[in-house]
Amino acid sequence: MESQDTSHSLEILTARGKAAQSGVRPRRPRVTTATLIYDDLREAILGMRLVPGTPLQEKALTQRFGVSKTPVREALIRLAEDGLVDIFPQSGTFVSRVPVAAIPEAVVIRQSLEDTAVRRLIEIATEADIATIDAILARQRLLADLGDKDAFHEADEGFHQAIAQIAGYPSIPRLLRQIKVQMDRARRLTLPVAGRMHQVIAEHSFIRDAIARRDVAVASKAMKAHLSAVVPDIDRLRVQYPDYFV
């Protein structure tokens, strides 16, 4: 990893760390410093702002976040438990590479849970519920046109979270949060591909229309196909980013 890339990545974290300290970012009750650092690093890793192989130097992080070593170490241990960081006692700590073998299993689990949600939503969806989904799609279109990949990804997550929430399964997104971390990292690499964001919108719109028509079979098939789209991308991504995968 080039030192310039590492410096740039840590500059991003510096700004976020200072924001948290200055009160710009609202704090939830009883959130520890370690949790704030964990959340910032996790977001940067999942968003591919800290790419696989990036060294995470404890001293640099303590200086940039303005904290002692203890919360930094706690945050790094939690990230290692998530599979997002590799800690080598004699070599250092690095952002982990994406384990390709973990992605197909994550896809299958996500397909099962989200298929359950979409089937239930079709049974109970109201016009107001469809309008909620439409509002998310409208935001996705705007963000795609603006080329805002980070905000688009958040809106993408919002689409799936809304389906689970409206269906009466609000715990599904929380259950999937850890299961799909490696899948999410790979997905973020696909967003810069020309036309990819609009393709995602088209797939979401197709699912939305099937829900509105109460067409269970089509909605289920479309959701499963949408969630499996990352799998055929892996071979291309491994060629394009050979150092990011293992």
Side-chain angles (χ1 to χ4, degrees):
M1 175 61 58
E2 296 291 337
S3 60
Q4 182 177 359
D5 291 341
T6 302
S7 176
H8 175 69
S9 296
L10 291 177
E11 283 175 5
I12 295 172
L13 297 180
T14 301
R16 295 190 173 196
K18 289 180 178 178
Q21 292 173 341
S22 66
V24 172
R25 179 175 178 174
R27 289 173 177 262
R28 293 168 294 178
R30 299 179 183 177
V31 173
T32 65
T33 301
T35 296
L36 289 173
I37 296 170
Y38 164 82
D39 286 343
D40 274 10
L41 290 172
R42 187 179 191 280
E43 182 181 344
I45 293 170
L46 292 183
M48 284 295 181
R49 292 184 294 278
L50 282 175
V51 301
T54 300
L56 299 174
Q57 298 176 348
E58 189 177 283
K59 182 177 179 180
L61 291 175
T62 60
Q63 292 174 345
R64 292 176 183 275
F65 281 105
V67 297
S68 66
K69 292 182 179 179
T70 299
V72 169
R73 288 174 178 171
E74 290 177 5
L76 292 176
I77 290 171
R78 288 181 62 185
L79 291 166
E81 291 172 349
D82 289 346
L84 296 175
V85 160
D86 292 323
I87 299 175
F88 302 103
Q90 304 303 321
S91 303
T93 300
F94 303 85
V95 176
S96 68
R97 288 172 170 76
V98 179
V100 173
I103 294 176
E105 181 181 26
V107 169
V108 169
I109 295 172
R110 189 176 183 192
Q111 284 177 327
S112 178
L113 291 175
E114 296 209 26
D115 179 57
T116 298
V118 80
R119 286 173 178 272
R120 175 57 178 160
L121 178 58
I122 286 175
E123 294 178 359
I124 65 174
T126 65
E127 291 185 5
D129 295 331
I130 300 300
T132 296
I133 295 173
D134 286 341
I136 296 171
L137 288 172
R139 176 166 173 75
Q140 281 194 284
R141 293 186 187 96
L142 173 62
L143 294 171
D145 290 340
L146 293 173
D148 190 334
K149 296 184 293 295
D150 289 337
F152 181 88
H153 177 76
E154 292 304 316
D156 185 350
E157 292 287 287
F159 174 84
H160 293 275
Q161 289 168 6
I163 289 176
Q165 183 73 38
I166 298 168
Y169 300 129
S171 294
I172 284 180
R174 291 196 296 273
L175 290 171
L176 289 174
R177 184 173 185 264
Q178 177 56 32
I179 292 170
K180 67 188 187 73
V181 288
Q182 307 301 349
M183 179 180 175
D184 283 343
R185 295 169 79 192
R187 286 171 55 220
R188 292 299 286 266
L189 290 174
T190 68
L191 291 182
V193 176
R196 185 54 181 260
M197 287 188 282
H198 287 286
Q199 177 61 35
V200 170
I201 294 169
E203 293 171 5
H204 282 182
S205 297
F206 193 80
I207 294 167
R208 176 266 181 214
D209 290 346
I211 292 171
R213 295 194 311 270
R214 314 286 179 177
D215 192 329
V216 176
V218 170
S220 174
K221 183 177 180 180
M223 178 63 82
K224 289 179 179 178
H226 170 63
L227 295 176
S228 66
V230 69
V231 175
D233 288 327
I234 296 302
D235 288 341
R236 177 181 58 78
L237 291 173
R238 293 184 75 176
V239 172
Q240 188 173 359
Y241 305 99
D243 295 332
Y244 288 6
F245 294 87
V246 65

